[in-house]
């Protein structure tokens, strides 16, 4: 692929928490429209790496360029809020705003950040709630929703900002098995529509169906990176083989 | 089920001791004493006289408390935000305010604000006024400068000074309530808001504070009750609040018992009423959580 298609550029990134090295010398490019699937054992630095992309974590060393803006420069010189507008994020624990209805969860940032009118924001929100299969839950508060429904509202909330990139931080890990399907279906739709996605997850079924490229991360380092077909068919690294045999 | 059938089999008691134990007897006793004092107020001339004399102070006590508490909430919000700030300067200033104020008795704070801070502030304004006079030409600015330069300490009403003392004193405690409330909201809420492109202050305003304030409404209610009681301290400034009028009434009539019974009764009826409201609020929130 051409280099101009690159929308996320991660170069030699390091991040540690105290003595724990969470991310060690990771370099990774994500192209427009690509679905990159990051997997690996718990505590391997997957979430930390993902959170560095919208600077929920600041890197210790290295460079990250998102949509042409280097976000690892001195904090005062980067308008991180502007970058974050273009990056939607879906969290493991949903992080819906409990004091707002599902609809308000989806409209708030549209009005306050994108400066859309209330009417416009609500129309967009209703459409998105319909798209994630929850048109009837618009006026319901999060505590009356199931886990899967919460996660779908959270996706609608992120999509309402018309992001160029969507980050998924273990979106199904906190869900009961029967609810995982409904969340993955929405994600599959998104992938088919050409959304650029970086997904940290253990859902190998989703990876097989939607991911272009897979990255195996362990102890903060990329052990193996390959196209989805290749990684499933013949993983090169012994460690990857062992991990796949355990979870498949 | 098992427990129910057991009680059914038991012989009916003449006096249901179990049920009697559940009656809030303390409230009944307070109510009876209250009724007794109300009865005195209506029938005994010394009580009637004291009550009528004291009600004027009741109004000031309530006004000062409401205004001071409102200001304390504003100061508390500002200092509370400072206490959770990552900016070292802001955090240090906020912490300094909270720690200094909380280490000084409320009575001393009231005296200090009335007789030390106010004169200092007046001096400062005088200086500002004089400085303005030499430098400005516009009529309204000259008028301003004149009034500032000629401001006299006597012009600052003691009631205003009392309010300042109470507000700054309680602001430090409210700051900690705000801080606790903000810190009780999980980190994910701030992260979700920021990841949508909201600024720190937008996230605070629309996401964190609405949730935090709901959680700390009961502590705010309790602090309001405390302030109503502590407002009695402003009587040292000879401000005509309920307590000061109590002193005056005693001196006027030499009816010590009747005077202080009525004063205590008036404070108690206000605080009990308010704590009932706070309890109702707590119950409502417990249901919603």
């Amino acid at each position: 692929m051409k280099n101009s298609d690159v929308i996320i550029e991660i170069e030699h990134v390091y991040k540690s928490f105290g003595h724990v090295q969470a991310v060690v010398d990771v370099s990774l490019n994500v192209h427009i429209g690509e679905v990159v699937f990051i997997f690996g054992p718990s505590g391997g630095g997957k979430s930390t790496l993902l959170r560095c992309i919208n600077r929920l974590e600041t890197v210790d060393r290295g460079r990250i360029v998102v949509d042409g803006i280097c976000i690892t420069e001195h904090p005062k010189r980067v308008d991180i809020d502007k970058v974050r507008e273009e990056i939607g994020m879906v969290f493991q624990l949903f992080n819906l705003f409990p004091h707002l209805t599902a609809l308000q969860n989806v409209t708030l940032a549209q009005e306050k950040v994108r400066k859309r009118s209330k009417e416009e924001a609500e129309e967009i929100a209703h459409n998105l709630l319909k798209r994630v299969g929850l048109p009837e839950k618009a006026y319901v508060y999060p505590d009356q929703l199931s886990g899967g429904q919460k996660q779908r509202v959270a996706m609608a909330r992120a999509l309402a900002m018309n992001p160029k990139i969507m980050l998924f931080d273990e979106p199904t890990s906190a869900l009961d098995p029967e609810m995982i399907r409904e969340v993955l279906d929405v994600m599959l739709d998104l992938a088919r529509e050409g959304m650029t996605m970086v997904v940290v997850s253990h859902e190998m079924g989703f990876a097989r169906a939607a991911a272009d490229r897979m990255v195996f991360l362990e102890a903060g380092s990329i052990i193996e990176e390959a196209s989805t077909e290749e990684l499933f068919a013949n993983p090169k690294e012994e460690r990857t083989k062992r991990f796949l045999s355990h979870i498949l | 089920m098992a427990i129910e059938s057991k009680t059914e089999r038991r012989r009916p008691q003449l006096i249901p001791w179990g049920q009697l134990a559940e009656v809030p007897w303390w409230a009944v006793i307070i109510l009876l004493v209250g009724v007794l004092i109300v009865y005195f107020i209506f029938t005994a001339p010394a009580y009637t006289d004291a009550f009528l004399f004291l009600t004027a102070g009741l109004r000031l006590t309530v006004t000062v408390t409401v205004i001071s508490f409102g200001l304390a909430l504003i100061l508390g919000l500002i200092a509370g935000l400072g206490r959770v700030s990552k900016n070292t300067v802001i955090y240090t200033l906020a912490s300094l305010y909270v720690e200094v104020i909380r280490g000084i008795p409320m009575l001393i704070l009231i005296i200090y604000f009335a007789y030390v801070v106010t004169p200092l502030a007046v001096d400062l304004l005088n200086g500002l006024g004089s400085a303005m006079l030499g430098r400005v030409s516009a009529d309204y600015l000259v008028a301003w400068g004149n009034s500032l330069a000629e401001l006299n300490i006597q012009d600052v009403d003691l009631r205003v000074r009392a309010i300042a003392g109470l507000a700054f004193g309680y602001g430090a405690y409210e700051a900690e309530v705000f801080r606790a409330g903000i810190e009780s909201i999980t980190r994910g809420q701030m992260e979700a808001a920021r990841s949508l492109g909201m600024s720190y202050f937008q996230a605070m305003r629309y996401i964190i504070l609405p949730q935090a304030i709901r959680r700390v409404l009961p502590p705010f209610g309790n602090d309001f009750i405390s302030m109503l009681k502590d407002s009695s301290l402003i009587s040292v400034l000879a401000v005509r609040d309920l307590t000061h009028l109590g002193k005056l009434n005693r001196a006027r009539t030499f009816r010590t018992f009747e005077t202080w019974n009525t004063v205590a009764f008036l404070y108690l009826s206000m605080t009990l009423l308010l704590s009932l409201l706070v309890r109702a609020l707590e119950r409502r929130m417990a249901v919603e959580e």
Side-chain angles (χ1 to χ4, degrees):
Chain A
M1 265 186 224
K2 288 194 315 258
N3 212 34
S4 59
D5 283 350
V6 172
I7 189 160
I8 304 172
E9 229 179 312
I10 301 171
E11 285 174 16
H12 303 292
V13 160
Y14 289 78
K15 172 73 185 177
S16 55
F17 298 102
H19 293 296
V20 183
Q21 297 232 298
V23 177
V24 184
D25 193 19
V26 167
S27 297
L28 180 71
N29 283 352
V30 178
H31 300 262
I32 292 172
E34 197 178 24
V35 177
V36 174
F37 187 88
I38 303 175
F39 69 109
S42 307
K46 308 180 298 283
S47 291
T48 307
L49 179 66
L50 194 76
R51 291 159 58 86
C52 285
I53 296 175
N54 65 354
R55 218 170 75 184
L56 284 182
E57 306 289 351
T58 50
V59 303
D60 297 337
R61 220 147 35 99
R63 204 163 153 266
I64 298 178
V65 180
V66 178
D67 196 20
I69 300 167
C70 180
I71 62 162
T72 46
E73 268 181 44
H74 190 271
K76 290 234 161 62
R77 261 181 284 164
V78 191
D79 188 356
I80 191 67
D81 296 341
K82 273 273 165 283
V83 181
R84 283 177 178 152
E85 281 178 38
E86 310 299 336
I87 309 176
M89 184 149 188
V90 176
F91 299 86
Q92 182 177 1
L93 295 174
F94 332 121
N95 296 345
L96 285 184
F97 307 133
H99 61 303
L100 303 176
T101 62
L103 188 77
Q104 290 168 327
N105 263 279
V106 184
T107 56
L108 182 71
Q110 292 190 66
E111 288 173 45
K112 304 302 172 194
V113 179
R114 284 274 192 239
K115 307 287 177 203
R116 288 176 188 151
S117 71
K118 192 172 190 269
E119 294 72 34
E120 193 190 356
E122 282 184 356
E123 200 193 319
I124 292 170
H126 278 298
N127 285 336
L128 280 168
L129 287 175
K130 204 180 292 168
R131 181 167 156 195
V132 299
L134 297 168
E136 77 288 356
K137 300 289 186 190
Y139 301 102
V140 163
Y141 284 90
D143 61 2
Q144 289 156 358
L145 296 172
S146 72
Q149 291 171 335
K150 281 184 200 169
Q151 195 59 297
R152 283 186 283 158
V153 173
M155 280 193 273
R157 177 177 69 178
L159 289 171
M161 300 294 286
N162 303 104
K164 293 178 181 163
I165 303 162
M166 285 284 284
L167 306 178
F168 293 84
D169 187 5
E170 308 209 20
T172 56
S173 299
L175 296 178
D176 293 339
E178 69 265 32
M179 291 168 183
I180 291 177
R181 186 77 251 159
E182 60 193 50
V183 171
L184 290 182
D185 281 343
V186 178
M187 289 170 64
L188 279 170
D189 273 348
L190 264 181
R192 271 189 222 111
E193 286 163 25
M195 174 65 80
T196 307
M197 294 162 70
V198 182
V199 183
V200 168
S201 173
H202 299 289
E203 293 298 328
M204 302 315 273
F206 172 82
R208 209 189 279 274
D212 298 303
R213 206 143 46 92
M214 294 177 71
V215 176
F216 179 59
L217 206 67
E218 187 181 43
S221 305
I222 294 182
I223 305 293
E224 186 163 357
E225 181 192 341
S227 71
T228 306
E229 302 79 52
E230 193 163 320
L231 201 128
F232 275 118
N234 55 34
K236 290 194 180 53
E237 299 293 327
E238 200 48 46
R239 186 65 194 95
T240 320
K241 282 181 203 163
R242 229 179 319 135
F243 187 80
L244 284 174
S245 74
H246 277 308
I247 63 167
L248 284 179
Chain B
M1 275 311 261
I3 297 165
E4 249 178 39
S5 58
K6 207 172 169 185
T7 43
E8 269 171 10
R9 242 183 283 128
R10 208 189 275 166
R11 226 176 332 138
Q13 288 174 311
L14 197 59
I15 300 164
W17 293 112
Q19 282 172 36
L20 278 179
E22 278 163 32
V23 174
W25 287 109
W26 56 272
V28 174
I29 294 167
I30 291 173
L31 198 72
L32 286 178
V33 173
V35 168
L36 194 69
I37 292 180
V38 170
Y39 173 76
F40 284 155
I41 287 170
F42 275 104
T43 55
Y47 275 99
T48 314
D49 185 40
F51 180 78
L52 292 175
F53 186 79
L54 291 169
T55 38
L58 202 61
R59 199 162 55 236
L60 185 72
T61 288
V62 171
T63 332
V64 164
T65 306
V66 169
I67 296 174
S68 305
F69 197 73
L71 293 173
L73 285 181
I74 295 169
L75 285 168
L77 175 61
I78 296 168
L81 286 172
R83 290 278 276 170
V84 297
S85 170
K86 287 199 183 74
N87 182 312
T88 315
V89 177
I90 295 173
Y91 172 80
T92 304
L93 286 174
S95 302
L96 195 66
Y97 165 63
V98 169
E99 296 301 341
V100 166
I101 294 278
R102 288 200 309 172
I104 300 172
M106 196 58 65
L107 179 60
I108 307 303
L109 279 176
I110 288 166
I111 295 170
Y112 194 83
F113 268 86
Y115 299 122
V116 179
V117 176
T118 310
L120 276 176
V122 169
D123 277 353
L124 203 74
L125 292 174
N126 287 158
L128 192 75
S130 319
M132 267 172 78
L133 283 177
R135 289 180 179 78
V136 295
S137 51
D139 281 350
Y140 71 98
L141 283 179
V142 172
W144 266 29
N146 262 322
S147 55
L148 281 182
E150 284 162 17
L151 188 69
N152 195 300
I153 295 175
Q154 255 69 56
D155 295 341
V156 185
D157 196 304
L158 277 165
R159 284 172 296 187
V160 174
R161 304 189 209 183
I163 287 171
L166 280 174
F168 275 94
Y170 266 74
Y173 295 93
E174 303 324 305
E176 288 301 87
V177 176
F178 272 111
R179 184 180 63 83
I182 291 168
E183 285 176 350
S184 78
I185 307 299
T186 55
R187 232 169 58 126
Q189 291 289 306
M190 179 56 97
E191 288 180 353
R194 296 305 303 274
S195 77
L196 287 164
M198 283 190 223
S199 68
Y200 178 81
F201 281 102
Q202 282 179 321
M204 268 293 167
R205 176 162 167 214
Y206 299 114
I207 305 302
I208 308 295
L209 283 177
Q211 297 181 57
I213 288 170
R214 280 179 52 90
R215 271 190 206 177
V216 296
L217 279 179
F220 279 155
N222 290 328
D223 282 359
F224 183 79
I225 294 169
S226 294
M227 193 191 255
L228 185 69
K229 291 184 287 176
D230 276 354
S231 76
S232 65
L233 297 171
I234 67 173
S235 61
V236 294
L237 305 183
V239 172
R240 296 170 74 85
D241 78 320
L242 181 52
T243 306
H244 188 66
L245 286 198
K247 287 185 207 164
L248 293 181
N249 192 58
R250 199 214 65 90
R252 188 178 64 111
T253 60
F254 298 108
R255 295 281 194 166
T256 309
F257 268 53
E258 290 85 347
T259 303
W260 296 116
N261 270 342
T262 313
V263 169
F265 165 73
L266 287 172
Y267 276 116
L268 190 62
S269 24
M270 287 190 290
T271 51
L272 283 181
L273 191 73
L274 285 168
S275 59
L276 281 179
L277 285 175
V278 173
R279 253 182 242 187
L281 185 76
E282 269 172 349
R283 256 201 304 277
R284 222 189 87 184
M285 288 179 58
V287 172
E288 279 177 27
E289 282 280 310

